[in-house]
């Protein structure tokens, strides 16, 4: 019987070995990929995420609210916070969750940001917004823009696609439009409610020769903001506003000022503020809260409380903040009558509130 020549037998067994080896490599690779896919999925659903939002602080009294109005505010806050939380749960980056959450509030006429923004003395809307990433310490802000539909999107573009931190006025608008953001007429931000607030403020200013931007009752509140802890452990803060009713044109408040109205640092906290902006700028409120955590070792809630309820109260600066740390702890102190606010903590517990309670 013919037997296989030895050298062919060797070749055959070699190619068998090669095939087996290849098969083993493929099997290992498949197992590795499947395993990693499971790991990624479980790290997404297991990762701790949390979010807090505000819709402005000020003289918000239960006595001046109808049940329908209160329900409308609460529903919109719940919608925004739930949307942000589900994005975070599905692994979205913190900056995207902040922007998408704030966009819901900018598009709602209930809040002083985007549609529903307050008027300048001259009867226009000048919008400010900012965002900061606590991991990279990158930040972006726009100030005094009139024709960009979503100021918070413009702020994110400045952060991600420009070498700058803050762009203002026409330069900010040109940059946003070149980058493909939607341009709109300033009047799309109009609402009757804010027009009435402007008329009242102007009448009072004429009588009392009060300064520009002096506020009463519900003439200011409604600025919006969001702070989040994302599934990668980054904390991010964002804020968007129309500013203060009857403000002088060109006035810029704290909301686009990094350190004053918005700040984020993975080593301490992320903060978005609302209130009388001039005080928040002078007292560097958002960064001061983070600094007290970082250098004094205070807890998030102690640091936020000292700044809002001691420092600002002593200075007579009204308003509040939402703040989150890298463990997902949340604090939402305010020294005014109310603050529209909502949060979902790392355990999934939802809070929606307006007054001091
Ligand atoms: N802080 C905003 C500003 O001064 C207004 C507000 O939050 O109500 O522009």
């Amino acid at each position: 019987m013919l037997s296989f020549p030895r050298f062919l037998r060797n070749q055959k067994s070699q190619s068998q070995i090669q095939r087996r080896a290849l098969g083993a490599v493929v099997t290992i690779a498949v197992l590795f990929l499947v395993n990693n896919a499971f790991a990624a999925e479980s790290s997404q659903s297991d990762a701790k995420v949390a979010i807090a939002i505000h819709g402005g602080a000020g003289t918000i009294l239960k006595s001046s609210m109808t049940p329908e109005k209160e329900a409308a505010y609460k529903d919109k806050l719940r919608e925004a916070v739930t949307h942000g939380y589900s994005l975070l749960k599905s692994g979205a980056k913190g900056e995207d969750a902040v922007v998408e959450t704030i966009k819901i509030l900018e598009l709602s006429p209930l809040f002083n940001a985007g549609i529903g923004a307050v008027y300048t003395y001259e009867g226009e809307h000048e919008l400010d917004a900012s965002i900061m990433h606590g991991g990279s310490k990158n930040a972006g802000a726009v100030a005094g823009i009139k024709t960009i539909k979503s100021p918070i999107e413009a702020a994110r573009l400045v952060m991600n696609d420009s070498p700058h931190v803050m762009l203002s006025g026409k330069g900010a608008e040109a940059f946003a439009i070149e980058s493909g953001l939607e341009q709109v007429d300033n009047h799309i931000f109009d609402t009757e409610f804010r027009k009435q607030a402007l008329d009242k403020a102007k009448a009072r200013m004429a009588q009392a020769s009060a300064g520009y931007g002096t506020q009463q009752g519900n003439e200011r509140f409604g600025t919006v903001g969001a702070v989040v802890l994302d599934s990668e452990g980054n904390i991010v803060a964002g804020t968007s506003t129309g500013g203060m009713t009857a403000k002088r044109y060109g006035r810029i408040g704290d909301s686009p000022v990094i350190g004053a109205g918005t700040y984020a640092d993975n080593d301490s906290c992320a903060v978005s503020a609302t209130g009388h902006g001039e005080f928040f700028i002078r007292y560097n409120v958002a960064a001061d809260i983070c600094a007290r955590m970082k250098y004094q070792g205070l807890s998030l809630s102690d640091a936020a409380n000292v700044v809002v309820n001691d420092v600002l109260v002593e200075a007579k600066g009204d308003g509040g903040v939402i703040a989150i740390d890298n463990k997902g702890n949340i604090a939402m102190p305010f020294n005014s009558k109310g603050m529209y606010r909502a949060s979902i903590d790392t355990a999934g517990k939802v809070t929606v509130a307006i007054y001091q309670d």
Side-chain angles (χ1 to χ4, degrees):
M1 202 174 112
L2 269 176
S3 68
F4 246 59
R6 196 176 170 76
F7 76 94
L8 278 182
R9 275 213 314 268
N10 280 350
Q11 268 190 1
K12 188 177 174 230
S13 66
Q14 257 175 22
S15 73
Q16 265 176 351
I17 289 167
Q18 276 169 358
R19 268 208 303 277
R20 277 190 197 137
L22 188 66
V25 169
V26 170
T27 312
I28 290 167
V30 168
L31 284 174
F32 179 78
L33 288 174
V34 169
N35 193 37
N36 266 9
F38 276 126
E41 206 171 274
S42 68
S43 83
Q44 264 178 30
S45 52
D46 292 351
K48 282 191 170 180
V49 300
I51 179 169
I53 66 173
H54 71 76
T59 317
I60 310 168
L61 298 169
K62 202 168 174 66
S63 54
S64 54
M65 271 281 191
T66 61
E68 295 75 33
K69 216 165 139 190
E70 189 173 315
Y73 276 104
K74 284 188 162 172
D75 287 351
K76 195 45 83 173
L77 289 167
R78 193 182 304 275
E79 178 192 331
V81 81
T82 308
H83 184 64
Y85 184 76
S86 64
L87 287 174
L88 292 165
K89 266 291 186 199
S90 63
K93 284 188 163 90
E95 66 208 69
D96 297 331
V98 162
V99 169
E100 293 310 315
T101 303
I102 288 182
K103 270 167 67 180
I104 291 177
L105 303 171
E106 285 181 340
L107 288 174
S108 164
L110 294 171
F111 302 98
N112 170 20
I115 294 163
V118 298
Y119 289 82
T120 61
Y121 188 88
E122 289 71 24
E124 287 194 299
H125 309 280
E126 293 185 354
L127 312 174
D128 304 329
S130 67
I131 185 164
M132 183 164 183
H133 189 281
S136 63
K137 306 285 191 307
N138 206 354
V142 290
I145 60 173
K146 295 187 195 176
T147 64
I148 301 301
K149 190 169 180 193
S150 170
I152 192 67
E153 275 195 305
R156 179 177 55 184
L157 268 178
V158 174
M159 174 169 84
N160 289 340
D161 295 354
S162 89
H164 306 301
V165 167
M166 189 190 282
L167 291 176
S168 71
K170 291 211 176 314
E173 290 178 356
F175 171 74
I177 293 159
E178 274 162 33
S179 310
L181 289 197
E182 188 176 347
Q183 189 179 25
V184 292
D185 188 281
N186 191 247
H187 289 299
I188 77 143
F189 304 119
D190 288 355
T191 49
E192 190 44 40
F193 163 64
R194 299 292 184 195
K195 180 70 175 57
Q196 284 169 11
L198 174 66
D199 294 343
K200 268 194 228 150
K202 284 173 90 165
R204 200 184 59 252
M205 286 160 77
Q207 263 180 8
S209 51
Y212 274 105
T214 48
Q215 305 283 311
Q216 255 182 25
N218 62 9
E219 291 167 5
R220 188 205 62 231
F221 60 78
T223 290
V224 304
V227 293
V228 304
L229 167 67
D230 74 15
S231 59
E232 289 174 7
N234 290 305
I235 50 177
V236 181
T239 311
S240 181
T241 191
M244 298 173 85
T245 301
K247 65 184 180 183
R248 190 183 175 109
Y249 74 89
R251 178 262 185 189
I252 293 168
D254 61 313
S255 305
V257 178
I258 297 301
T262 301
Y263 197 71
D265 172 2
N266 274 6
D267 294 337
S268 50
C269 62
V271 178
S272 168
T274 171
H276 195 150
E278 280 68 10
F279 290 87
F280 283 68
I281 294 174
R282 284 195 265 128
Y283 288 85
N284 199 31
V285 165
D288 189 21
I289 293 170
C290 298
R292 284 169 193 264
M293 283 186 75
K294 197 162 171 172
Y295 303 120
Q296 294 186 326
L298 295 190
S299 68
L300 179 79
S301 91
D302 285 352
N305 264 316
V306 169
V307 175
V308 171
N309 289 316
D310 294 350
V311 178
L312 278 177
V313 166
E314 202 173 309
K316 299 197 171 23
D318 74 311
V321 301
I322 48 168
I324 196 164
D325 67 15
N326 59 14
K327 309 249 173 341
N329 294 310
I330 289 169
M332 303 192 279
F334 54 98
N335 62 33
S336 47
K337 296 275 185 245
M339 180 167 84
Y340 298 112
R341 60 199 187 278
S343 65
I344 305 183
D345 68 12
T346 52
K349 183 171 169 263
V350 184
T351 306
V352 181
I354 299 178
Y355 316 106
Q356 296 270 12
D357 39 30

